[in-house]
Structure formats: structure tokens, C-alpha cells
Amino acid sequence: DYIFYGTGTSASQSVVLPSASTNAGKIYIIYQKGSGGTLIVSRTSPDLIDGVTSKNLTFGQGMMVVSDGVDTWMTVGAV
């Protein structure tokens, strides 16, 4: 449904997922293609991503998440 790319070369960047409760079944693909820094994937409170508040992606790492429609984003694959 949506794709986010981190493109930073030195500083960290962040992506905030929208509320899981209003995005039931939505899939987001997040990928850090920038050669430096960290892409920090966080959530809208009180949601969680696999039981935690944020995930860090470094160069070449990616993740695909899907909303349960309540309060959780679940990782369903690595990119």
C-alpha cells in the first residue's frame, strides 16, 4: 500500500506509522537505502510494532508491516 525510503547519508531520519486502529490491513514497506545514518521507524501512541515502540534500520535493511486494525503493527517480512 505504501513505501517509505530512508535516503540519509549521515544523520538519522525517522518515519512514524499512522494509527493502527484506522489502518486495518494496510501494508507499509520501509527501506533504508541511504548510505549513512539510521532510519528510525516508530508508531503513533499507544500502538506498538512487534511489542516495541520503535525499530531501527541501517543501510540495506527493510521491513514490511501490516496493521491488525487495533493497536499493533506486525512485521510480516524483511525487505
Side-chain angles (χ1 to χ4, degrees), residues 17-76:
L17 293 169
S19 174
S21 65
T22 57
N23 288 280
K26 291 285 186 184
I27 295 171
Y28 284 79
I29 298 169
I30 304 118
Y31 183 75
Q32 173 57 321
K33 70 178 191 172
S35 60
T38 300
L39 180 60
I40 303 164
V41 182
S42 59
R43 85 300 181 249
T44 302
S45 184
D47 296 351
L48 294 174
I49 306 167
D50 297 327
V52 298
T53 58
S54 65
K55 299 264 186 155
N56 294 335
L57 301 175
T58 58
F59 177 69
Q61 291 183 318
M63 61 191 290
M64 181 174 15
V65 295
V66 64
S67 167
D68 70 352
V70 181
D71 62 2
T72 301
W73 288 95
M74 301 168 286
T75 301
V76 293

Side-chain angles (χ1 to χ4, degrees), residues 6-17:
T7 58
T9 56
S10 60
S12 293
Q13 295 180 307
S14 62
V15 170
V16 180
L17 293 169

